[in-house]
Amino acid sequence: MKDNSSWSWSSWKICLLSVLFLTKTIAAVKLPPNLIVPALIAFGDSIVDTGMNNNVKTVVKCDFHPYGIDFQGGVATGRFCDGRVPADLLAEELGIKSIVPAYLDPNLKSKDLLTGVSFASGGSGYDPITPKLVAVISLEDQLNYFEEYIEKVKNIVGEEKKDFILANSLFLLVAGSDDIANTYYTIHARPEYDIDSYTTLMSDSASEFVTKLYGYGVRRVAVFGAPPIGCVPSQRTLGGGIMRDCAETYNEAAKLFNSKLSQKLDSLRKTLPGIKPIYINIYDPLFDIIQNPANYGFQVANKGCCGTGAIEVAVLCNKITSSVCPDVSSHVFWDSYHPTEKTYKVLVSLLINKFVYQFV
């Protein structure tokens, strides 16, 4: 289901490249005078994981090179990217900070808590089976850490300021790709479900998660839809046939989930007083980038930059067995599953106004 906004992806193409190179250390978008966003807090999977998996015993981790080669100082922080991820970029655009640390970062300072952290864990998902399959942090456990966070913030600034931070901060929820690509299609861990009932399970879980956040005092929640998962390099390899075309079955599943998710958020907006959940349509802009890479300054969209680009991700993308492409900026994808920082910057430049003005 397409977002109901009046976005025209083609109309942005002319100015996109110039936008990318104008990013400052804190390149804040101009906020309306009545809008204050004190912190950015993220939940979900590897798209917004900033290092939560570093101390988890799982193969879904990336705290080693070549991950992080374009991060500050070339440090592998546990971000599934060559550089920064959407949580960092959105926080920067909102004028909060340029790096959003993981909640379990051993170097985390009290001031970091007040401006936001990420609880997201690569490999997690809406289906409770999904994180168990790869031994990562479930959404339920991310909420348990969030409860700890709330108590710590209250101890630092008091009850009233804590409530203000929860009510006015931007909360990101990004999940669903691993449910569709891994749990359902690759591992076939839910044989009792057809894709319609499975995407209902996913959308119900997303709705329940947002409702739980509301119970903690959260009001501004941006929930990302699923991307065109069938066009991700690894899924082309696994489900796209000998020519590695986009796996259309996977894409149709993503669109079905997105339609249900959008409807669920509309329903919450009507039933939970004061909540402002917004559905972020990531499918259409990313699909356009993949189908028309040259329009956005890319050359390669069907392979990642790491290794062969067809299958390497997490531990398979390493400095021992995997080379890195000569020009990361020419690739839409960093590894076989995750976009490059440059791609994330393109997407953020397209979506930032939606984050700002729908929360006013």
Side-chain angles (χ1 to χ4, degrees), residues 185-200:
Y185 280 117
T186 301
I187 303 176
H188 303 289
R190 288 289 197 178
E192 70 275 25
Y193 287 84
D194 61 17
I195 193 59
D196 182 54
S197 58
Y198 189 67
T199 51
T200 296

Side-chain angles (χ1 to χ4, degrees), residues 96-142:
I96 300 169
K97 56 187 176 183
S98 60
I99 300 296
V100 176
Y103 176 69
L104 295 181
D105 185 338
N107 298 314
L108 194 70
K109 305 291 193 301
S110 295
K111 64 180 181 179
D112 295 323
L113 295 173
L114 303 182
T115 51
V117 294
S118 175
F119 299 93
S121 174
S124 199
Y126 290 121
D127 184 346
I129 287 181
T130 298
K132 292 180 180 178
L133 291 171
V134 287
V136 296
I137 305 168
S138 67
L139 285 174
E140 181 180 359
D141 286 337
Q142 290 178 37

Side-chain angles (χ1 to χ4, degrees), residues 197-223:
S197 58
Y198 189 67
T199 51
T200 296
L201 178 152
M202 291 170 60
S203 61
D204 285 347
S205 176
S207 178
E208 291 168 7
F209 191 90
V210 174
T211 301
K212 289 177 181 178
L213 288 178
Y214 179 83
Y216 292 117
V218 173
R219 295 296 180 266
R220 295 170 175 167
V221 188
V223 186

Side-chain angles (χ1 to χ4, degrees), residues 260-307:
K260 294 177 180 181
L261 176 64
S262 179
Q263 292 171 18
K264 287 286 186 180
L265 295 177
D266 286 341
S267 178
L268 290 180
R269 193 176 297 109
K270 297 172 184 176
T271 57
L272 299 178
I275 195 170
K276 294 181 178 179
I278 60 172
Y279 166 70
I280 301 299
N281 171 20
I282 203 70
Y283 187 104
D284 289 327
L286 183 54
F287 186 74
D288 195 55
I289 292 170
I290 293 168
Q291 294 300 311
N292 303 288
N295 292 343
Y296 299 90
F298 297 104
Q299 297 174 24
V300 183
N302 64 349
K303 291 183 178 180
C305 176
C306 184

Side-chain angles (χ1 to χ4, degrees), residues 2 70 112 146 159 260 280 318 326 335:
K2 289 191 176 184
D70 294 316
D112 295 323
F146 182 54
E159 186 82 25
K260 294 177 180 181
I280 301 299
N318 61 78
D335 58 21

Side-chain angles (χ1 to χ4, degrees), residues 22-38:
L22 290 175
T23 304
K24 308 290 185 182
T25 303
I26 298 293
V29 66
K30 185 177 181 181
L31 298 178
N34 59 333
L35 183 64
I36 298 173
V37 185

